[in-house]
Amino acid sequence: MAAETSAKQTLLDRIHDRTAVVGVIGLGYVGLPLAMEFAKAGFHVIGYDVSERVVSRLMSGESHIQDVPSAEVARFVRSGAFEATTDESRLHEADGISIAVPTPLSKTRDPDMSYVISATEAASRQAHSGMVIVLESTTYPGTTREILVPLLEKRGFTVGEDVFVAFSPERVDPGNPVYVTKNTPKVVGGITAACTELATALYQSCIDKIVSVSSAEAAELTKLLENTFRSVNIGLVNEMAIVCDKLGIDVWEVIDAAGTKPFGFMKFTPGPGIGGHCIPLDPHYLAWKMRTLNYKTRFIDPHYLAWKMRTLNYKTRFIDLASEINSQMPAYVVEKVAHALNDERKAVNGSTILVLGVAYKRDIDDLRESPALDVIRLLEEQGATVTFHDPHVPRIREDGHVRERVELTDERLATADAVVIVTDHRAVDYQRVMDNATLIVDTRNATNALVRTKARVVSLATVRPMPEVIEA
Ligand SMILES: NC(=O)c1ccc[n+]([C@@H]2O[C@H](COP(=O)([O-])OP(=O)(O)OC[C@H]3O[C@@H](n4cnc5c(N)ncnc54)[C@H](O)[C@@H]3O)[C@@H](O)[C@H]2O)c1
């Protein structure tokens, strides 16, 4: 207890007077903005990444993350407040470490924990008494206790006494001009109360509002609830689009009308499917956790394992259903394109199709899990010649194949058999698209408010006149 008190108090003092050094492991969409916030708060920040490319770009003052301006990185590199390195041993200088490495799914849709394990191994090799380590990567409940704690204890530390461990999920929303890392409330849950207190103190120094919860598991599950909530609600409106199509009703009109209810309804919009590192993947971490007995039993003490064996083996039906509907949306879009071309006595095979917007959502450059990639692949499988334009994405690299974007010209719009709006970036002039294209398949309702000129527009749900009621 004495050890806890002194290690804890020293760390609290160092955080308070900003003499603490902060290490961030993984300098991507999550880690880099977080590193910048710590630097702004007055800490010396050491960013550690395994990628030489990422590190050398950052050290030359260039940001690879759209939401972080290069000028900001350059300023902190120049002042010495931030340095990026591939040298793991530099983490030993840190008093607080945030881990923000990828948590993808394996080919069998199981959690791939290899990045978290190797980042934690690096942190534990460099750990010292009086260090707080916080995992930020989205993951299943139990990860922090089952993976981080044993790796630290293997090195002789006692978590909660000489080192402190917590989970704090990142909620960054790339491209969101209002909510950024600093003003998005941050949930923190530690392995012990002291761990929560220290992680809270660290984050309080640079984030406006911290929400402490009772355990690391509660914090882990909070993030999964948030992303499952989105996945399920997107799945619901996507199904509503299919329902509206069959009924001949305008799904956008219905959603807008429902959105006028001032309580009890939250507006979600349908689209070509879900993308990014979070929504398509994270709910599967929970689904996996609930259907399996355990990840690595060797990490777990017998009481904890017994508790889990009683509670798991459960099928998360909402997650599975939402994923099924959302993952079918690219095929649904392609079906829409085929029908629309058919109306013009054309086949997909041999048609020239321009895909407009390939990033997974509006105004960002992230292609990860983007449904546009599936739409392109499915159209090509059916024999279409597909090109793409996206103001934020100059090229698509997939399976060793590089596809360059085409410029958006009046002629290209006019000669395409169909223009498919997959992502509705604000930088595109959709009126120009309407004025030049012959057929638009608009999966995002980007053309709704525009003047109907040349193009025939097909939406996710085809609107038909209501049938007359025939009296018997
Ligand atoms: N991108 C988002 O919008 C978002 C939002 C919330 C949460 N998250 C979660 O945050 C985590 C990180 O996601 P991201 O989007 O920042 O990933 P990213 O791919 O943008 O960045 C990860 C970085 O970690 C580095 N890295 C990988 N293994 C490493 C190791 N062992 N040691 C040091 N560096 C290593 C990579 O080189 C890369 O630069 C994931 O769990 C993700 O689910 C992401």
Side-chain angles (χ1 to χ4, degrees), residues 24-100:
V24 176
I25 304 186
L27 297 170
Y29 286 91
V30 168
L32 187 62
L34 186 66
M36 293 298 107
E37 287 310 324
F38 280 123
K40 279 181 221 165
F43 294 103
H44 177 59
V45 182
I46 298 172
Y48 165 64
D49 201 291
V50 288
S51 165
E52 290 276 0
R53 209 174 123 257
V54 165
V55 166
S56 61
R57 275 182 77 172
L58 290 171
M59 287 310 283
S60 65
E62 202 190 318
S63 169
H64 60 298
I65 301 296
Q66 201 179 340
D67 289 344
V68 177
S70 288
E72 191 169 275
V73 175
R75 177 159 61 91
F76 287 126
V77 168
R78 253 196 326 272
S79 71
F82 171 72
E83 46 181 326
T85 178
T86 54
D87 177 3
E88 175 202 299
S89 69
R90 295 291 314 282
L91 291 172
H92 190 67
E93 295 165 39
D95 300 288
I97 290 183
S98 296
I99 301 178

Side-chain angles (χ1 to χ4, degrees), residues 39-250:
K40 279 181 221 165
F43 294 103
H44 177 59
V45 182
I46 298 172
Y48 165 64
D49 201 291
V50 288
S51 165
E52 290 276 0
R53 209 174 123 257
V54 165
V55 166
S56 61
R57 275 182 77 172
L58 290 171
M59 287 310 283
S60 65
E62 202 190 318
S63 169
H64 60 298
I65 301 296
Q66 201 179 340
D67 289 344
V68 177
S70 288
E72 191 169 275
V73 175
R75 177 159 61 91
F76 287 126
V77 168
R78 253 196 326 272
S79 71
F82 171 72
E83 46 181 326
T85 178
T86 54
D87 177 3
E88 175 202 299
S89 69
R90 295 291 314 282
L91 291 172
H92 190 67
E93 295 165 39
D95 300 288
I97 290 183
S98 296
I99 301 178
V101 294
T103 41
L105 291 173
S106 69
K107 287 220 177 323
T108 53
R109 300 195 86 66
D110 287 346
D112 174 357
M113 300 310 293
S114 57
Y115 300 89
V116 169
I117 291 172
S118 89
T120 308
E121 281 171 343
S124 34
R125 275 192 294 270
Q126 305 306 329
H128 54 75
S129 176
M131 184 186 259
V132 59
I133 301 173
V134 186
L135 180 62
E136 295 252 346
S137 304
T138 308
T139 184
Y140 59 86
T143 306
T144 311
R145 198 177 301 272
E146 294 164 17
I147 293 182
L148 273 73
V149 170
L151 285 171
L152 282 155
E153 290 186 341
K154 226 165 75 180
R155 299 220 148 238
F157 294 106
T158 306
V159 171
E161 281 188 21
D162 46 11
V163 295
F164 304 89
V165 177
F167 183 80
S168 178
E170 180 50 62
R171 288 168 155 171
V172 68
D173 181 19
N176 188 326
V178 179
Y179 287 106
V180 290
T181 302
K182 183 171 171 34
N183 62 356
T184 305
K186 198 146 176 45
V187 172
V188 173
I191 295 295
T192 67
C195 295
T196 308
E197 189 187 341
L198 279 163
T200 300
L202 180 66
Y203 283 118
Q204 241 160 13
S205 62
C206 67
I207 310 261
D208 293 347
K209 185 174 162 59
I210 303 298
V211 180
S212 303
V213 292
S214 64
S215 64
E217 287 78 4
E220 289 161 337
L221 191 53
T222 301
K223 173 73 182 175
L224 294 185
L225 170 62
E226 291 165 12
N227 284 358
T228 302
F229 174 85
R230 282 194 64 75
S231 170
V232 167
N233 280 287
I234 294 168
L236 176 66
V237 283
N238 279 338
E239 181 162 75
M240 203 50 75
I242 296 168
V243 165
C244 284
D245 189 51
K246 291 189 184 297
L247 292 173
I249 297 172
D250 183 348

Side-chain angles (χ1 to χ4, degrees), residues 242-431:
I242 296 168
V243 165
C244 284
D245 189 51
K246 291 189 184 297
L247 292 173
I249 297 172
D250 183 348
V251 62
W252 306 100
E253 183 186 11
V254 171
I255 291 169
D256 282 346
T260 60
K261 188 179 177 188
F263 48 86
F265 182 83
M266 184 180 280
K267 188 172 162 180
F268 282 80
T269 50
I274 48 177
H277 189 313
C278 297
I279 314 290
L281 310 186
D282 300 350
H284 293 285
Y285 269 69
L286 184 56
W288 172 87
K289 171 75 178 179
M290 299 314 297
R291 74 172 176 264
T292 52
L293 280 182
N294 220 327
Y295 173 54
K296 278 194 176 166
T297 52
R298 71 188 161 91
F299 278 142
I300 293 152
D301 76 58
H303 302 297
Y304 194 58
L305 178 62
W307 172 73
K308 282 203 286 196
M309 289 184 73
R310 280 203 306 277
T311 56
L312 305 187
N313 204 13
Y314 178 81
K315 188 169 158 50
T316 49
R317 286 159 290 172
F318 273 108
I319 291 177
D320 295 352
L321 184 59
S323 164
E324 189 186 317
I325 294 171
N326 292 331
S327 63
Q328 281 171 4
M329 289 311 286
Y332 179 75
V333 168
V334 170
E335 210 178 289
K336 279 271 152 204
V337 176
H339 282 147
L341 287 169
N342 190 53
D343 289 343
E344 302 189 0
R345 297 168 189 272
K346 289 179 182 171
V348 175
N349 195 347
S351 287
T352 306
I353 295 175
L354 174 63
V355 169
L356 207 44
V358 292
Y360 80 83
K361 69 170 183 172
R362 178 193 277 183
D363 297 344
I364 64 163
D365 60 0
D366 194 346
L367 274 175
R368 291 179 296 179
E369 310 285 328
S370 174
L373 305 177
D374 287 332
V375 169
I376 292 173
R377 182 180 49 79
L378 291 168
L379 287 168
E380 285 184 337
E381 276 172 14
Q382 291 188 33
T385 303
V386 184
T387 54
F388 86 92
H389 176 80
D390 187 310
H392 300 275
V393 181
R395 63 192 59 84
I396 300 173
R397 285 197 174 86
E398 250 196 325
D399 305 327
H401 176 71
V402 180
R403 185 193 296 267
E404 299 286 340
R405 100 177 137 205
V406 296
E407 285 317 304
L408 199 59
T409 62
D410 292 352
E411 196 200 343
R412 190 161 268 128
L413 287 165
T415 52
D417 294 299
V419 175
V420 186
I421 301 174
V422 178
T423 311
D424 53 344
H425 293 302
R426 272 182 271 245
V428 171
D429 178 354
Y430 294 102
Q431 189 61 57

